[in-house]
Amino acid sequence: MSTPRTAVIVVAAGSGTRLGHAEPKAFVPLADGTVLSTAIAGVLAMRETPAIVVVVPGDRADRVRDELAPRVAEAGASLDVVAGGTTRQESVARGLAVVGSGIEVVLVHDAARPLTPALVFDEVEAAVRTRGHGIVPALEVVDTIKRVAGGEVVETVDRSELRAVQTPQGFPRGALDHAYRTADAEYTDDAALAAAAGVVVDTVPGDVRAFKITVPADLHRAEQLLAERLDAESDTSPSRTPAAAPDRPRVPRVGTGTDVHAFAADDAPLWLAGLEWPGERGLSGHSDGDAAAHAICDALLAAAGLGDVGAIFGTADARFAGAHGEVFLAETRRLVEASGFVIGNVTVQIVGNRPKLAPRRAEAEALLSAVLDAPVSVAATTSDALGFTGRGEGVAAIATALVMPA
Ligand code: CTP
Ligand code: MG
């Protein structure tokens, strides 16, 4: 077992009052297991096996440990089962108290969201690592929301500013520890508690399957979705590889990236599409200004759900000052592959009057394809003398990348 760098705390100590079942919510039967065992399956399907902490009603801790231990051990994960508290916040705090010292990132997840795909855990974890702060999965709100007073509609709230947030919510370990140590009120989720302690929290896309089982209709929906999933799994068509985790859709993902750099006022050399172009005017920028390489990086990062060039290669990072496109591309490829994807192919189109690409297109494609170990097509166009590219003030590049789950 490699030492885990991430812990997932699954809180399952609530009573499930609104569900109204004889058993506490996490122990209600679901498909051929329970709500909790289904939730744990999602965690075990993560790309990198985490340390798992399960928080349950005190009188069930021993039983849960006995039941989960074999499956968790088989997946190569560690397991701690601890007794929860009277509020969710207290339950999380008790889970946090047993997280091992080597853990860098902590994800907190409601057992009551048992169908949350492993991919959501992976994306939250990756985003905490690359962005260095709190991350919540969030969905746009589809209903029109009204503010009411005593039943009377007072106003319609601007929906575009609202998000429905889910779990897992992820945090750098030190920030979450500090936030829980200093919390002096009850918060509705970990993100609110962390934000109150000054932790920046932002979002990754949520997933409708991460819905919370609260009332009986939610349990019914979960049963139906699981039945459909089991049907799909029994499909033995050859395209289904054994490695396909049932809840991680093995579909390709695309991303788009654009970049623009102005021609430099000095006599800096031009670097574009990974090549140096002697005799051409250079582009300005913190790095070498290679708009084509940067657009490709953005497209790849977007496809893998890893953010963007600005967030990952910040201008404050001295490693990338003056760096050539190849450096960015190699690091981007490493990040994309580390998050469980292989690069399918990439296209990039350069918009500008100069340089003339055609004589060196094959050279650029060969270089970029070698760095990414995937086919890269390079095209160019002018903008019919219109705009800043037409006036010869700079170069734009637009890239599309396709990645596939490894
Ligand atoms: N939770 C917990 N400890 C508590 C309260 C809640 O670990 N003291 C967990 C629940 O088990 C659940 C998650 O927090 O996985 C989200 O809470 P919620 O959906 O409100 O679950 P319950 O509190 O169990 O349900 P209810 O509010 O209907 O009683
Ligand atoms: Mg509750």
Side-chain angles (χ1 to χ4, degrees), residues 146-191:
K146 307 281 189 195
R147 194 181 308 282
V148 296
E152 188 187 331
V153 173
V154 180
E155 63 167 339
T156 301
V157 181
D158 179 5
R159 184 170 62 193
S160 65
E161 290 183 353
L162 301 178
R163 295 291 180 274
V165 306
Q166 306 175 313
T167 72
Q169 301 189 348
F171 305 88
R173 194 265 175 83
L176 191 63
D177 274 345
H178 173 256
Y180 265 87
R181 260 199 316 276
T182 52
D184 55 2
E186 278 293 320
Y187 295 92
T188 49
D189 69 354
D190 307 291

Side-chain angles (χ1 to χ4, degrees), residues 98-157:
V98 302
V99 167
S101 58
I103 298 294
E104 300 157 353
V105 171
V106 176
L107 270 49
V108 183
H109 184 54
D110 291 335
R113 301 177 187 273
L115 269 56
T116 306
L119 194 62
V120 178
F121 289 85
D122 290 333
E123 290 189 341
V124 169
E125 186 202 1
V128 173
R129 288 190 187 281
T130 54
R131 300 185 212 170
H133 48 239
I135 301 289
V136 296
L139 288 177
E140 290 190 0
V141 175
V142 290
D143 293 316
T144 296
I145 307 285
K146 307 281 189 195
R147 194 181 308 282
V148 296
E152 188 187 331
V153 173
V154 180
E155 63 167 339
T156 301
V157 181

Side-chain angles (χ1 to χ4, degrees), residues 67-68 75 180 198 314:
E67 281 166 12
L68 292 180
Y180 265 87

